[in-house]
Amino acid sequence: MDDEIGSYEVFVATRAQALLRYGYVLTGNPHDAADLMQEALVRLRTSWHRVHNKREPEAFVRTTMARLHVSIWRRRRREKLVAATPEQAYVDNSGETVELRDAMWEALTALPRRQRAVVVLRYYECLTDEEIAGILNISRGTVRSQAARALEKLRFRFLETAELADADMKEGQLR
């Protein structure tokens, strides 16, 4: 029993930050991400003996987080809009420009919950349509249509941003 508790604590200590980032990508809010992660880790603890034997505790937690996130928007059926971005942004060290990263976060948070969840699971988690459908408990066709709508909204948003940037640049050259 002590070994079981110790290995659970080691898992939480080593994977907590990655799971928190995953929660942030799903929710777009650091507080909701922390709540989501905490609830998933509580559920993992109660099932640790079963999950640990399968050697897939992180997959269990990520699936639980995605399902909890989906159940929230199923209950509410409404998007919670916020006026400002979170106080602490996720820091990406990949070398992308700050403007592009901020625009992407803003565009992702503007998507409805289901579309955001599909995009995160497909492109952040690299899951197939079948896996996403299983996690979100929706049909494969719904996954594909939600992904298509989300990508269309993201493309439109970035084209709009690029056109505004071009107009600002041209205006600056005229002065």
Side-chain angles (χ1 to χ4, degrees), residues 59-116:
F60 177 89
V61 173
R62 288 177 184 260
T63 299
T64 302
M65 289 172 73
R67 287 182 177 167
L68 286 169
H69 176 66
V70 168
S71 70
I72 291 168
W73 56 256
R74 280 193 175 146
R75 273 184 264 143
R76 290 185 195 163
R77 294 280 183 191
R78 290 190 297 154
E79 182 79 14
K80 181 181 176 186
L81 302 177
V82 294
T85 56
E87 296 90 30
Q88 280 187 322
Y90 168 72
V91 178
D92 185 5
N93 296 327
S94 68
E96 292 181 6
T97 63
V98 173
E99 295 85 19
L100 180 60
R101 186 188 71 217
D102 291 345
M104 179 58 77
W105 278 115
E106 188 176 318
L108 274 173
T109 58
L111 291 175
R113 285 179 167 276
R114 184 185 293 191
Q115 289 178 7
R116 184 170 53 237

Side-chain angles (χ1 to χ4, degrees), residues 94-139:
S94 68
E96 292 181 6
T97 63
V98 173
E99 295 85 19
L100 180 60
R101 186 188 71 217
D102 291 345
M104 179 58 77
W105 278 115
E106 188 176 318
L108 274 173
T109 58
L111 291 175
R113 285 179 167 276
R114 184 185 293 191
Q115 289 178 7
R116 184 170 53 237
V118 168
V119 168
V120 167
L121 291 172
R122 180 182 274 183
Y123 296 105
Y124 184 77
E125 288 295 313
C126 300
L127 299 179
T128 65
D129 290 345
E130 291 82 14
E131 293 169 323
I132 296 169
I135 289 171
L136 300 181
N137 203 18
I138 57 179
S139 71

Side-chain angles (χ1 to χ4, degrees), residues 40 43-44 47 50-51 56-65:
R43 290 181 183 198
L44 173 65
S47 303
R50 187 184 68 224
V51 175
E56 291 294 334
E58 188 161 353
F60 177 89
V61 173
R62 288 177 184 260
T63 299
T64 302
M65 289 172 73

